[in-house]
Amino acid sequence: MFLNEFKYFILSTLREKMLIRWLILFPMLLGTMFKLTMSGLSEKEFNFRAIPTAVVLENDDGIFRDVIKQVSEGDDPLLKVTYADSEEAEKLLKDGEVEGIITSGDTVSLTVAGSDMEETVLKAFTDRYLTQEKLIKDAAEKDPASLPALTESLTEELDVLEEKSVTEGVNDRYIIYYYNLLAMVAVCSSVTGLSVVTQNEADQSPLGARKCCSPTPKLISTLAVMLGCWAVGAFCMVTSVTFLAFVLRVGFGSRLGYVYAGGILGSIMGSSLGFMIASLVRGSYEKKNAVAMTVSLGGSFLSGLMVGNIKPILMEKAPIVNTLNPPAVICDCFYYLNIDSGLDRYLGKMAEMLAMTVVFTMIGFVFTRRRKYASL
Amino acid sequence: MADTVVKIESLVKRYGELIALDHLDLEIKQGEVFGLLGPNGSGKTTTINCLLSLLSYDKGSIEIFGKEMSPVAYDIKKDIGVIMQNVAVYDELTVQENIDYFCGLYITDKQQRAQYVEEAIKFVGLEDFRKFRPKKLSGGLLRRLNIACGIAHKPKLIILDEPTVAVDPQSRNKILEGIEELNRSGATIIYTSHYMEEVEQICTRIAIMDKGRKIAEGTKEELTAMIKNTETIFVSLHELPDDVLKEISALPHIYSTDYTDGTLTAACSGGKHNLIRVLEVLQEHDLHIGRVTTERPTLNDVFLEITGKALRDKEEK
């Protein structure tokens, strides 16, 4: 009886077009769009490594010349410098050969033609030089050996491309978008969890009423459908992760196994959340579905899946929301996998997800124990 | 009693102020095709839902196969087949898969189940549609699938709640023939409907319900014998003078007469040879007689006489 229920639930659910659309095709499509968009960004950043810049020396400022020399040499230079007079420099800028002109006269000034990332970096560099000019000149006079370190500090935080490998995480700052996508797939599994109630309760559907007339105990059919939901959620998650990792070649690195594990547990938690919601919310399937979608998408919003700075705000103002918000827990799990060299915090979040799954499932079972109905 | 399959005693079900079932008593014997007849809202489906322990009730008791029925009475449920008013199948499963699924709720043995599923498909005539999904089936075929899902496990008691609603005549006949066949093979049937002709056609005993109460019970003959009318005579005439109409009205056993639109209608209560006596009077006055018919009372007449209103059957059909 259990296997019969389990088998046909999975078969019927996997044939549901809505499920295929939202839990399999939608993540694939969104992942592909991410890939296309982020490939462009990476390419742009690669070109950004050494910013073509014209330098005009109107006076003989040796210290400025030294600073420019230091930031334009080495393995990973900030600037690709072309020395020119004002006229030539303006022509280079006009022709697009350089992104900006740094002029050293009475003071150091910057001329740019646009407002892209490169221009912003040049502006930040010149601003910082002007701020620290006196300090640099003093150091050059009193302690010339400290000049390289000071120059380094001018560029240290400007070189946004130069990722410092402080952990053993994947260290691709765009991979977090894929993790967010997987977190969304996981919470959307709550929709499948609704079936546990709507297909087993006599007052929810003709199918539920019909099943309640059979000699299959309600506990068995509920359990079978619950496990079926978990299996379907896990299948959708595995499909999504596999597509991202092997078709789009998203670099999950050596942590792919952990991504699968986190995703599967996340989707199981999502299904259990749906089960709990369906058991608590009285009324039609549409009403339950609306509540499940509100909770899932609302939780996703609060966890920063849609607007990035919501989560830090909540962390400061109401940290309990992040602790209790299932999508936030899934996101954190992936986030820690991304940035931590160890697995402690990742495993901590996995344990949290497991605990939430148990609580959601238990609440679901408690509220679906009814055997007779006052009305159908 | 050993041959009592269903026994309902003093069943009361309330929805707030509304009394859906008012001290309902029913006893259904083994081998019967028991009809529950009544207009929409009379309490038929509520009775069935209480019988199946889906609905809670306020008072009374229900026994099936001599045991008290409850939601966990799995040993009773395994011998019951249910065909709900609303079609209850998986839209994403094929005809064969649906029947196999529902049969699997009762039968665990795979080989036996496969055989039962095959028999059910043949029984309802869906051999050519076994790979179809429900959405591809017509209303009639869908009802047949619903029936196959309910009877595939060969239950001893089959409950059919309005199984022919919105079904074409061909499928309706097929369904009714199937029910009679199931009964012949030993199953006890409970059949609810507001279609009088169906109940008259297949039911061996009938309970007529109205406003949650059983207002009459018996065989069709017993029910029609309960009312005054035993026969209604219709005679087509070009003309019928008033004095002749009065003469006919005065005949023994004739309790009501009417002449409208060229047709004499005479309602009789008991007696024999009423038609002959009416025709003799008409011949005595040299009246030209056209078409002559008689009608036995129907369940609708029974319902009409007891409640003062008609079953909705005729309006709907």
Side-chain angles (χ1 to χ4, degrees):
Chain A
M1 285 171 177
F2 176 88
L3 286 178
N4 177 60
E5 191 77 60
F6 183 73
K7 171 187 154 188
Y8 281 115
F9 174 78
I10 288 182
L11 202 56
S12 64
T13 308
L14 288 179
R15 286 177 185 169
E16 269 183 38
K17 282 181 185 151
M18 200 182 82
L19 178 117
I20 302 292
R21 200 178 297 143
W22 287 107
L23 292 184
I24 296 177
L25 295 181
F26 177 69
M28 285 181 176
L29 186 70
L30 209 56
T32 306
M33 285 171 66
F34 281 175
K35 184 71 180 177
L36 292 173
T37 309
M38 286 165 201
S39 298
L41 280 176
S42 297
E43 182 67 23
K44 197 171 181 186
E45 282 180 359
F46 179 77
N47 294 333
F48 173 73
R49 281 184 183 276
I51 304 168
T53 310
V55 175
V56 180
L57 299 171
E58 291 182 345
N59 59 10
D60 192 18
D61 185 344
I63 294 169
F64 177 74
R65 189 193 292 268
D66 286 346
V67 168
I68 291 295
K69 190 180 174 189
Q70 283 192 33
V71 297
S72 59
E73 288 178 348
D75 293 339
D76 200 7
L78 178 69
L79 306 178
K80 184 184 172 191
V81 174
T82 305
Y83 291 98
D85 58 31
S86 302
E87 204 173 318
E88 286 172 345
E90 275 177 28
K91 189 174 183 304
L92 287 171
L93 184 63
K94 195 178 173 185
D95 293 345
E97 298 289 324
V98 295
E99 300 291 343
I101 306 165
I102 299 175
T103 307
S104 171
D106 296 337
T107 182
V108 173
S109 63
L110 174 72
T111 307
V112 291
S115 58
D116 281 348
M117 186 72 85
E118 290 84 352
E119 285 86 342
T120 307
V121 172
L122 287 177
K123 176 83 169 56
F125 170 74
T126 48
D127 286 350
R128 192 169 294 180
Y129 177 81
L130 288 169
T131 311
Q132 299 187 22
E133 188 179 15
K134 191 173 182 315
L135 188 69
I136 292 168
K137 285 182 175 172
D138 286 351
E141 284 173 14
K142 294 170 188 169
D143 181 15
S146 65
L147 190 60
L150 275 169
T151 309
E152 181 77 12
S153 75
L154 285 177
T155 63
E156 206 167 45
E157 291 166 26
L158 296 176
D159 192 350
V160 292
L161 258 189
E162 196 177 342
E163 299 282 353
K164 302 267 186 296
S165 185
V166 294
T167 71
E168 288 174 16
V170 174
N171 270 330
D172 177 348
R173 92 186 113 105
Y174 290 118
I175 206 165
I176 197 69
Y177 288 97
Y178 296 105
Y179 284 140
N180 285 350
L181 177 62
L182 294 177
M184 203 176 278
V185 174
V187 290
C188 284
S189 297
S190 62
V191 178
T192 63
L194 300 177
S195 313
V196 184
V197 172
T198 56
Q199 288 193 9
N200 286 300
E201 294 287 315
D203 62 345
Q204 290 296 309
S205 62
L207 199 57
R210 177 66 187 81
K211 282 165 82 169
C212 285
C213 299
S214 80
T216 300
K218 196 170 177 180
L219 181 67
I220 289 181
S221 58
T222 304
L223 206 59
V225 176
M226 178 81 250
L227 291 178
C229 280
W230 288 0
V232 169
F235 171 77
C236 294
M237 180 57 74
V238 167
T239 307
S240 295
V241 174
T242 304
F243 182 79
L244 294 181
F246 297 102
V247 178
L248 297 184
R249 301 200 173 278
V250 173
F252 292 119
S254 60
R255 300 199 153 183
L256 183 59
Y258 296 111
V259 177
Y260 276 116
I264 289 170
L265 188 53
S267 68
I268 286 174
M269 183 178 71
S271 301
S272 305
L273 176 69
F275 174 36
M276 182 183 74
I277 289 169
S279 68
L280 290 176
V281 177
R282 298 285 175 225
S284 64
Y285 173 80
E286 286 71 25
K287 191 174 167 188
K288 292 175 196 296
N289 193 33
V291 174
M293 290 310 286
T294 305
V295 170
S296 301
L297 295 179
S300 299
F301 176 77
L302 294 177
S303 68
L305 291 182
M306 295 154 194
V307 180
N309 58 351
I310 290 287
K311 202 174 163 203
I313 294 170
L314 280 173
M315 206 168 305
E316 190 186 329
K317 307 277 184 195
I320 188 75
V321 175
N322 282 341
T323 309
L324 297 178
N325 181 13
V329 176
I330 303 170
C331 266
D332 285 347
C333 181
F334 286 133
Y335 179 71
Y336 293 143
L337 192 61
N338 190 36
I339 65 158
D340 285 2
S341 53
L343 291 170
D344 291 353
R345 290 202 291 177
Y346 164 80
L347 291 174
K349 286 293 163 187
M350 290 286 276
E352 239 178 87
M353 282 201 278
L354 193 63
M356 280 185 165
T357 303
V358 171
V359 171
F360 294 158
T361 307
M362 282 175 69
I363 292 173
F365 271 107
V366 167
F367 283 88
T368 49
R369 278 173 61 194
R370 279 188 311 160
R371 298 188 185 282
K372 276 191 182 181
Y373 303 84
S375 63
L376 294 180
Chain B
M1 283 173 68
D3 66 344
T4 297
V5 174
V6 174
K7 190 174 184 180
I8 297 175
E9 283 185 322
S10 200
L11 193 64
V12 177
K13 170 68 186 173
R14 291 191 186 91
Y15 292 111
E17 294 296 308
L18 178 78
I19 300 176
L21 294 177
D22 189 1
H23 294 88
L24 181 72
D25 293 300
L26 284 179
E27 192 166 338
I28 299 164
K29 307 280 186 188
Q30 192 173 344
E32 283 187 325
V33 180
F34 189 88
L36 273 178
L37 179 68
N40 289 333
S42 58
K44 304 183 299 291
T45 299
T46 302
T47 304
I48 297 302
N49 287 335
C50 287
L51 186 65
L52 292 166
S53 260
L54 293 175
L55 272 180
S56 59
Y57 44 86
D58 299 282
K59 197 180 158 193
S61 67
I62 296 171
E63 280 183 13
I64 300 179
F65 303 126
K67 297 173 196 167
E68 190 188 343
M69 183 58 177
S70 78
V72 292
Y74 302 124
D75 57 333
I76 298 176
K77 286 182 173 182
K78 72 179 170 55
D79 289 323
I80 301 177
V82 184
I83 292 100
M84 296 282 195
Q85 189 173 354
N86 296 317
V87 175
V89 293
Y90 279 103
D91 286 339
E92 296 77 21
L93 298 182
T94 64
V95 164
Q96 184 159 1
E97 287 166 346
N98 263 302
I99 299 171
D100 186 52
Y101 166 73
F102 283 104
C103 193
L105 294 174
Y106 299 79
I107 307 287
T108 49
D109 184 88
K110 268 190 176 180
Q111 276 192 326
Q112 190 184 23
R113 199 164 82 212
Q115 183 199 326
Y116 281 7
V117 169
E118 204 49 44
E119 286 174 15
I121 289 173
K122 282 182 188 155
F123 183 80
V124 295
L126 287 175
E127 295 98 319
D128 296 336
F129 304 94
R130 61 180 72 225
K131 297 289 177 197
F132 280 51
R133 292 203 192 168
K135 279 184 180 168
K136 299 278 180 190
L137 299 177
S138 67
L141 293 178
L142 194 59
R143 289 276 166 186
R144 288 199 229 168
L145 169 62
N146 200 33
I147 290 173
C149 291
I151 54 104
H153 61 287
K154 300 195 185 297
K156 292 176 187 166
L157 171 65
I158 301 171
I159 299 170
L160 299 106
D161 188 11
E162 308 253 14
T164 57
V165 171
V167 163
D168 59 280
Q170 192 189 349
S171 283
R172 179 174 295 195
N173 288 336
K174 178 91 183 163
I175 288 168
L176 296 180
E177 283 167 16
I179 291 166
E180 287 176 314
E181 197 180 324
L182 286 167
N183 179 242
R184 281 195 295 274
S185 65
T188 303
I189 312 277
I190 300 177
Y191 187 89
T192 82
S193 179
H194 62 279
Y195 292 145
M196 177 190 70
E197 289 87 347
E198 289 181 4
V199 173
E200 283 187 343
Q201 183 184 333
I202 65 167
C203 294
T204 53
R205 211 151 59 86
I206 301 153
I208 300 178
M209 292 185 72
D210 187 43
K211 294 179 180 171
R213 287 180 298 118
K214 181 178 75 179
I215 56 174
E217 184 181 349
T219 61
K220 184 195 165 191
E221 290 71 26
E222 286 169 347
L223 288 170
T224 50
M226 286 178 189
I227 60 172
K228 190 176 176 181
N229 181 287
T230 54
E231 183 182 26
T232 305
I233 297 165
F234 301 92
V235 184
S236 296
L237 298 160
H238 288 302
E239 57 169 343
L240 182 64
D242 286 347
D243 59 324
V244 181
L245 184 62
K246 280 181 186 168
E247 198 176 329
I248 290 170
S249 300
L251 287 171
H253 305 297
I254 295 200
Y255 67 92
S256 164
T257 55
D258 178 53
Y259 179 69
T260 310
D261 297 333
T263 302
L264 164 69
T265 304
C268 313
S269 179
K272 290 180 180 174
H273 314 302
N274 295 321
L275 176 62
I276 294 169
R277 276 197 287 269
V278 168
L279 293 177
E280 279 174 354
V281 171
L282 295 172
Q283 281 174 339
E284 279 169 18
H285 291 84
D286 286 333
L287 292 169
H288 182 72
I289 299 169
R291 192 162 169 257
V292 178
T293 56
T294 62
E295 264 185 18
R296 308 292 289 174
T298 64
L299 293 177
N300 194 52
D301 296 315
V302 177
F303 192 80
L304 181 68
E305 189 161 317
I306 296 174
T307 66
K309 61 187 180 186
L311 281 162
R312 292 175 200 178
D313 189 25
K314 283 188 175 173
E315 295 164 33
E316 289 182 9
K317 284 188 175 180

